[in-house]
Structure formats: structure tokens, C-alpha cells
Amino acid sequence: MILPFFVIIPLGAAFLISLFGKKIKNFGDLLANLGTLSLLVFSLYSISKVFTNKILVYKVGGWMPPLGISMVLDGLSSFMLVTVNLVSFLVTIYSISYMEKYTDKYRFYTLFMLMLTGMNGIIITGDLFNLFVFLEIASIASYALVAFGTEAEELEASFKYAVMGSVASSFVLLGIALLYSYTSTLNMADISQVLSGRPAGMMVNFVAVLFLAGFGLKAALVPFHAWLPDAHPAAPAPISAMLSGVLIKVLGVYAIMRIFFNLIGINTVILAMLMFLGAVSMLMGVILALAQWDFKRLLAYHSISQIGYVILGIGLGTPLGILGGLFHLFNHSIFKSLLFLNSGAVDYSLGTRDLQKMGGLREKMPVTANTSLIASMSIAGIPPFNGFFSKLIIIFACIQANRFGYAFCAIAASILTLASFMKVQKYAFFGKLNPKWQNIKEVPWPMKLSMIALGVICVISALLIMPLFKPFLQSAANVLLLGNGYKDMVFGALK
Amino acid sequence: MIEYILCFILFCIGLYCVLRKRNIIKIVIGLGIVEYAVNLFFVLIGFRMHGRAPILAKDQTISNMVDPLPQALVLTSIVIGLAVTALIVAIAIRLYEKYGTFDITKIRRLRG
Amino acid sequence: MKNKKEVGMTLIVKTITRLTVGLILLYGIYIVLHGHVSPGGGFAGGVIIALSFIHLMLAFGKEAALKKLSQAASSILESLGALMFLSIALLGFLGGYFFFNFFLHKGTPFALFSAGIIPLCNIAISLKVGAGLFAIFAVLILFKSR
């Protein structure tokens, strides 16, 4: 019963804001925050639903699933929903004051809520073509949001992103067309059932390659990463936080996990490919990041590297690896969005993103400096923070699976990440205050509030691995470990 | 079989156009070709020999129709293609305002 | 002959447009309303409705068309169309499911007043598509003239 509301609430909010946002002042702020808050409450409620029922299947329009569209809520969906809606709620609080400097704030909220509709729809849907439609909704909204400032650089980045993203979507659609011609059904569980009844042929391998290219481009894995370092810094800071924090994970990583593990069925070749791509993006991203002086561009390269960790963990295919990959996915969405919000706060006060022009901001902006210190230590993997535990689990999983080379890559990338963030801290927040910045002030309270909240979550989400909270992660990992058993769960829930 | 191969050739022509051309309007046209190649492929999947259009009429029995589902899906994907094309054309016009050129090799302010 | 500034195309085009534009609009509305019993539907009809306004704009210049349907009005209509579609879907909860076909359930084939919510959905879609397509066209035109 609660399932369709994950799509209804943001979609309704988007069009109500576009209708009334111009006339009534602050209507956009109010409705967007209420919408994301209610989505967060619904997604937290969905955890308890998953614990009691295991899996929930909703028949849209009362049609039975192989014919009609279905919505499926299982452990993985619930885990992703909590991640997306937690970050989006804190980001909307942040944008109350950050977006003041742009005109047409209500248009920003309309596009933001449409992007959220797309992401929630991808997570909740149980139908392959429906997944494509929601993917396009989220992508088109994000192309427009990257170009929101309509300056020369932003338009250039958005054009690049839009062209590459459209080609990726065409690959995905071609894959869906081939899969439909092979199985003559579009329901995910039904496709899995048909595929498991037939020998795997060349067709399925070709489809797998198309999906890997399409969703890999959306996830910015290394051969397909060229759009990300342009597009993410060009967007306004709250949107950078959403794009880096959750969009690439939902459009890329979640879709890869769901389709390869539950639909097509995983095999060693695909796993080896995922691991290789993960390790390459992990190293390439961090090496490219070392040379950057633009704060947001540096963070964007780190996104590529951290997505590499997630893909490596999932590509190991062992229970521990998948658990670590999912845990790192959650942690990365928290600390990377916090870092992007920090860079936005610095940009808001100083008007520059160049690290060489900053220095000594600690005394003037204590909240920003301290939260960014927490986030930097999390991303670099310093013990009490969440990033340490997830990286540790991934490295242990590599060693357990006898993949010592990949374990070494992960450790090396972690050390390079630490070096790169020491540079950020040294040049931006420590050191002597540049006399030019004598009159700067700390940012307004909504921005402070959301940064502090994310900083606190950075610390306490390390507890997710403790036995008390572990079932939340474990139920998500179990869905992937189930593999082809997904179809039996879905059809079992229908009876 | 030949029609599927021609479809893939069309797809590759569109991809070539996107990757190789320098004018941004030509890139947008290339994206259109890619989209329509996929749409064409989708419609061809539903084809059956001597089938008739999937329309219910008063004096006809329901037999030997082509598959109506791919046609509905193609309609959806055409709508999506329309939205993407409109957005990219709008961005291209703005780019022309800012840079004064349609040449993609001259639009290079982002580096690194 | 030219005593005032000429906007739009020649007299021939304008006369033909005056004759045909109403018919095109009417044909669009026909396609929308018969979408559930014959080929067509919300998207096709909406495109034809938008084309009638674009036709007007091409023949008489943008002021004449924007006087009939301004850009702000078309963006409001677009949002209204989307909200109407969503609220029809929400009303399906009366029958227990999202998007449930809740009234005149299982209509008779070939009858105009049947098929429950599908004609209403078609009207909402046509509003959204027609207004949206016209707004896109108007925005691209206004870009060029600036």
C-alpha cells in the first residue's frame, strides 16, 4: 500500500510547485521540504515492513504482474530508498538558503523533485521498461539541473553530459529490446524465470555487454567517466551533492546490481569484468584527483574512485564483499554529499572554488571546517569514522577471496585519497588567513544544520555494522546473494 | 534477418555521427538517428509475417495480429526522445549565444 | 499595397491557414476523444492540437499566436494536465489500487462513453503534450529573436 507513494509524492510536489511557486513566496521551499521529509518517514517505515513481510509486491491498477506493471519492495530497495531520501531531505534543507542567489528558485525545486521521482521509481519498480522510463526522467532532470546557472562552462558541461547520457540510454533501450525479443516479457521476475529455463546463448551475453556499457556510463566507471568531472562541478552545490551522492549510484550501481544479479544471473566472467572495472576506476580516479586545484573538481574525481570501491566489493560476489560494497555505497553517499555541501558553503562565502586562493578558513567558518574535517577523515578511512569500516570490510573480502592484487589496489587508493584530502585541509582550512577574506561570515543556519546532521550521521553510521543494526545491511545483501531466487520470492508474494 | 542487420548499421551510422562530427547540430541529428534506429528495431521485433494491424474492429476475429506491445513502448520512447532533443537543442542555442560558434573543438573552456 | 508592416507569410498562406487551422484543432480533439475506441489517443491528439497553434504562429507571426495562448498560460496548462493525470491515478485508490479503473468498469467495445478512466487520462495527456509542445516551440522561437 505504501509503495506507489514513493513516486506520487515527489511527482505531485513537482507540478504543484511549478503551478503555484511563482505566485506564492516560499511555497517551493515549504512543499519541497515537506515532500522529502515525508519520503524519509515512508522509507524508514519501509524497513520495518521488509522485516515482517520479507518482500512486498504491489499490482499497479490491479493487473496481475506478468501482464501489468508491478512494484517490488525488498531489502535492497528499502536500503536504497533510505539512502536516497535521507540525502535528499538534508539537501533540500541546505538549498533553502544556498539557492537564494539564483533567480527562479521554484524551477530548481520542480526539477529537483522530478529527479527524485525518477530515482525512487527506478528503485521501486519491478518492470524493465518502467525502469528505463524512470531512468530517463531522472537523467533529463539532471541534464537541465547541471545547466541551471546558464553560464558558458555549465552549458558546455551539460551538453557533454546530455550527449553521452542519451547514447547510454540508447544502449540500455537496445538491450531491453533484445531481451524482450528473446523472452517476450518485460516483468523482471518473469524475465528471470524465462532465462533460467533456457541455455544461456550469445544473445544474453550481448545484452549483458549493452547493459554494462549503458549503466556503466551512468555510474561513471573508468572507460566511461569523461562526463563526470565536468558535469558535477558545474551544477549548483546541492545538485552536485545529489548527483555525486545518490544519482550515479541509483542510475548506475543499483541498476547493475539488480539486472546482473537478479535478472540475467551472475557468472564468473561478469564478476571478473566488474572487479577489473572497479579496480581501474578506483586507481585512475584518485590519481587524476591528486593534480586538481578546483575544490569541486577534485571531489568529482574522488567520486569515480569511490564508486570503484563499491563496484569492486560487489564484483567479488562473496557475502562479505557484497556487504562491504553496499556499506561503502551508503557511507559514500553520506560523506561525499557532505563534502560537496562544504565546498558549496566555501563558494557561498568566498565566491571562489580555487584551493590556492583559500587558507585559514578555520577561524572564520568553524562549522564548515569541522564538518569537512570529519568528512575528509571518513573518505580517507581513518578509524572511528564510517569510511574506515567499509573499506576494511572490502579489503578483508578481497583477501578472503584470494584476490591479493585487488586488495593491494584498494589499500593504495586509500593512501592516495588520504594524501589528496590532506592537501584540501591544509590549503583550505588550516594555515594563515588570507587578508582578502577578513570580512567573510559563516553561512546561514539551514546550511549549518544540514552539514552538522550529515557530520553526525558520518560518525554514527559506523554502528550499522554492529550486530544490533546489521540486519538492515544484511537484508539488502541477501537479495543479491539470492540471485535467481528473486523470481520465486516475487511470485511467492503474489500468491 | 537482413532488416535487423540494416537496423544495426543505422545505429552505427548514428553513433559515428555523434562521435566524429564537429558541429553540435550534427551531433544532435546523430542522437536522433541512434534513437530512431532503436525504435525501428523495437517495432521490427513485434512484426509477424502476413500479420495485420492490432486494431479491434467489429467484423474481425482476433487472430494473426502483430505484437501491439512494442508499438506502445516505441510511442513512449518517442516522447522521451522528443524531450531529450528539445532540451539539447535549447542548450545548443544557448551555447551558440555564449561562444558564437557551433564547432565543438572550439567550445573547450573546461579542462583537466 | 503595403501600408502597414507585414508580419508573417503571404496573403495566400494566411487565407489557407484561416480556413484550415480550426479543422486541424477539431481533428486533434476528435483523435483525443476517440483514443480508447480507435487508433490515436492522448499523445497523438495533443501533438495535432499543438501543431494547429504552431501553424498559426508560422503563418501570422508569433504575436498573433501568443495572444491566443500565451507562454505562461501554456506552462500552467501543462502543469494542470500532469496534476489531472496524477489525481485520476490517485482516485484509483477508491477501487483499492493505484491507477485502478474505478468507474464504468469494463465498458462495451465501440461505445464512446465507456472504458472508465482511459478517456479522462487521454484528455489529461493531450493537455500536457499539447501545451508542452507549444511551450517548447515558443521558447525556441523566443531564443532566436533575442
Side-chain angles (χ1 to χ4, degrees):
Chain A
M1 194 67 188
I2 62 161
L3 268 69
F5 283 98
F6 288 110
V7 179
I8 294 170
I9 293 170
L11 193 63
F15 287 107
L16 280 176
I17 291 169
S18 90
L19 203 53
F20 298 115
K22 206 171 180 179
K23 313 254 162 49
I24 309 165
K25 205 168 163 279
N26 291 341
F27 182 76
D29 290 330
L30 193 69
L31 199 63
N33 278 297
L34 275 179
T36 43
L37 178 64
S38 55
L39 283 174
L40 179 61
V41 172
F42 271 123
S43 51
L44 289 175
Y45 175 65
S46 79
I47 299 175
S48 73
K49 286 293 256 192
V50 168
F51 268 115
T52 48
N53 298 43
K54 276 296 216 197
I55 191 163
L56 284 166
V57 182
Y58 188 86
K59 304 190 279 281
V60 176
W63 298 92
M64 274 307 276
L67 296 178
I69 294 169
S70 64
M71 289 176 168
V72 180
L73 180 76
D74 53 14
L76 184 64
S77 307
S78 150
F79 170 76
M80 293 299 294
L81 280 174
V82 171
T83 314
V84 169
N85 292 314
L86 182 65
V87 173
S88 68
F89 173 57
L90 292 168
V91 163
T92 42
I93 290 181
Y94 183 90
S95 22
I96 293 174
S97 22
Y98 185 83
M99 293 308 289
E100 289 292 344
K101 63 178 184 180
Y102 291 89
T103 51
D104 286 352
K105 203 172 163 190
Y106 72 99
R107 293 222 169 103
F108 165 79
Y109 281 121
T110 306
L111 289 169
F112 185 93
M113 293 312 260
L114 276 179
M115 193 169 86
L116 198 56
T117 310
M119 287 194 288
N120 279 343
I122 289 172
I123 296 168
I124 207 79
T125 189
D127 186 276
L128 200 55
F129 192 76
N130 212 357
L131 187 141
F132 172 74
V133 171
F134 282 121
L135 179 100
E136 283 292 279
I137 291 175
S139 313
I140 295 172
S142 67
Y143 308 150
L145 279 169
V146 168
F148 196 74
T150 63
E151 291 302 320
E153 287 89 0
E154 287 150 14
L155 291 167
E156 189 187 332
S158 170
F159 185 77
K160 208 179 202 179
Y161 178 28
V163 169
M164 294 182 83
S166 313
V167 172
S169 304
S170 298
F171 276 126
V172 172
L173 188 59
L174 191 59
I176 291 172
L178 284 167
L179 209 53
Y180 177 75
S181 76
Y182 191 62
T183 62
S184 27
T185 176
L186 284 169
N187 189 281
M188 288 189 191
D190 211 26
I191 287 176
S192 161
Q193 188 160 38
V194 173
L195 283 182
S196 63
R198 291 183 196 180
M202 281 305 288
M203 181 76 107
V204 178
N205 291 341
F206 186 53
V207 168
V209 170
L210 283 174
F211 279 144
L212 195 63
F215 292 120
L217 202 145
K218 298 275 181 194
L221 290 173
V222 146
F224 319 110
H225 71 287
W227 59 273
L228 188 140
D230 292 339
H232 286 197
I239 295 308
S240 311
M242 282 298 278
L243 290 181
S244 252
V246 289
L247 190 92
I248 52 175
K249 300 201 183 69
V250 174
L251 263 59
V253 179
Y254 171 79
I256 285 177
M257 291 192 294
R258 181 65 91 192
I259 285 176
F260 282 118
F261 279 80
N262 291 147
L263 245 72
I264 295 180
I266 204 80
N267 57 37
T268 46
V269 181
I270 294 174
L271 282 179
M273 214 141 63
L274 283 179
M275 271 192 293
F276 179 72
L277 287 178
V280 170
S281 13
M282 203 161 68
L283 286 172
M284 284 282 282
V286 80
I287 289 168
L288 288 169
L290 278 174
Q292 299 301 319
W293 284 103
D294 184 328
F295 196 172
K296 282 172 91 174
R297 210 175 169 79
L298 184 145
L299 295 179
Y301 275 113
H302 275 294
S303 284
I304 300 173
S305 154
Q306 304 293 317
I307 282 292
Y309 273 102
V310 177
I311 292 287
L312 173 64
I314 287 161
L316 282 171
T318 56
L320 196 64
I322 289 173
L323 187 77
L326 288 173
F327 190 33
H328 197 70
L329 189 151
F330 180 80
N331 292 343
H332 177 245
S333 71
I334 299 293
F335 56 63
K336 187 46 71 70
S337 44
L338 176 54
L339 280 167
F340 267 113
L341 296 186
N342 288 140
S343 76
V346 173
D347 194 12
Y348 184 87
S349 294
L350 270 63
T352 181
R353 303 198 309 237
D354 193 340
L355 283 173
Q356 280 165 317
K357 289 185 184 148
M358 298 174 194
L361 297 178
R362 172 160 287 280
E363 39 187 304
K364 290 288 180 188
M365 304 169 76
V367 176
T368 310
N370 286 324
T371 47
S372 89
L373 188 62
I374 291 175
S376 301
M377 290 205 283
S378 298
I379 197 173
I382 305 290
F385 298 103
N386 55 10
F388 169 72
F389 292 102
S390 49
K391 282 186 182 176
L392 192 69
I393 293 173
I394 292 173
I395 291 166
F396 274 159
C398 284
I399 293 170
Q400 196 188 38
N402 278 327
R403 306 269 180 188
F404 295 106
Y406 289 131
F408 177 74
C409 285
I411 293 169
S414 184
I415 291 168
L416 290 174
T417 309
L418 181 64
S420 157
F421 275 93
M422 269 159 76
K423 177 175 113 178
V424 171
Q425 290 297 324
K426 177 171 175 290
Y427 279 94
F429 296 108
F430 288 93
K432 214 157 78 230
L433 187 67
N434 191 331
K436 203 162 78 182
W437 311 123
Q438 270 318 325
N439 299 321
I440 60 162
K441 284 199 288 285
E442 181 61 290
V443 293
W445 65 267
M447 290 162 78
K448 271 197 248 178
L449 181 70
S450 74
M451 284 193 289
I452 292 171
L454 280 169
V456 171
I457 295 169
C458 257
V459 180
I460 60 172
S461 66
L463 296 177
L464 275 178
I465 206 65
M466 298 300 154
L468 182 60
F469 298 103
K470 205 180 167 191
F472 173 57
L473 271 174
Q474 195 62 53
S475 71
N478 283 344
V479 173
L480 293 183
L481 290 173
L482 209 58
N484 268 332
Y486 170 74
K487 60 175 191 289
D488 304 326
M489 293 277 283
V490 171
F491 285 125
L494 281 172
K495 280 180 193 120
Chain B
M1 196 59 205
I2 185 78
E3 59 270 19
Y4 297 121
I5 294 170
L6 286 176
C7 221
F8 275 107
I9 291 174
L10 191 63
F11 186 85
C12 294
I13 290 172
L15 214 54
Y16 173 81
C17 185
V18 172
L19 295 173
R20 198 68 187 84
K21 290 291 164 193
R22 299 168 109 192
N23 189 318
I24 44 181
I25 298 297
K26 284 184 185 165
I27 293 178
V28 176
I29 293 170
L31 280 181
I33 294 173
V34 170
E35 259 158 29
Y36 281 98
V38 177
N39 289 348
L40 188 62
F41 183 74
F42 232 133
V43 173
L44 282 176
I45 286 170
F47 175 75
R48 42 191 298 199
M49 204 52 98
H50 308 302
R52 59 180 192 83
I55 304 165
L56 184 62
K58 275 202 176 98
D59 50 356
Q60 274 182 318
T61 51
I62 303 174
S63 68
N64 201 28
M65 280 183 179
V66 300
D67 190 355
L69 188 62
Q71 305 188 357
L73 302 182
V74 163
L75 195 63
T76 314
S77 95
I78 287 174
V79 178
I80 292 168
L82 168 77
V84 174
T85 312
L87 185 73
I88 297 183
V89 168
I91 292 171
I93 294 174
R94 283 292 185 100
L95 269 176
Y96 184 72
E97 269 180 18
K98 297 280 178 196
Y99 288 87
T101 175
F102 276 131
D103 191 343
I104 198 79
T105 50
K106 296 212 175 73
I107 304 175
R108 285 198 58 85
R109 210 169 285 181
L110 292 167
R111 280 171 189 284
Chain C
M1 288 293 279
K2 283 186 178 175
N3 43 12
K4 58 174 184 178
K5 201 177 152 241
E6 192 91 2
V7 221
M9 293 192 183
T10 59
L11 187 66
I12 300 168
V13 178
K14 279 185 182 172
T15 311
I16 300 290
T17 305
R18 217 174 273 133
L19 289 174
T20 55
V21 79
L23 293 175
I24 296 174
L25 183 64
L26 212 59
Y27 183 60
I29 294 171
Y30 164 79
I31 295 267
V32 172
L33 292 183
H34 284 257
H36 54 290
V37 289
S38 64
F43 179 70
V47 170
I48 295 171
I49 290 172
L51 283 181
S52 74
F53 281 97
I54 291 171
H55 194 180
L56 209 60
M57 186 180 260
L58 291 175
F60 290 94
K62 61 175 181 296
E63 281 79 15
L66 288 178
K67 210 186 287 171
K68 291 257 194 295
L69 181 69
S70 77
Q71 212 186 321
S74 63
S75 104
I76 287 174
L77 276 180
E78 194 192 345
S79 299
L80 272 180
L83 282 176
M84 185 176 158
F85 189 74
L86 191 63
S87 48
I88 290 167
L90 272 176
L91 280 176
F93 276 116
L94 290 177
Y97 288 104
F98 187 51
F99 265 115
F100 192 72
N101 198 341
F102 60 93
F103 76 78
L104 292 176
H105 196 47
K106 285 194 180 157
T108 48
F110 312 115
L112 189 57
F113 294 101
S114 67
I117 62 166
I118 295 173
L120 298 176
C121 286
N122 271 338
I123 292 169
I125 294 169
S126 72
L127 212 58
K128 167 99 190 148
V129 171
L133 204 60
F134 180 69
I136 289 170
F137 192 79
V139 164
L140 292 178
I141 288 272
L142 292 180
F143 259 136
K144 193 188 150 200
S145 58
R146 196 164 50 194

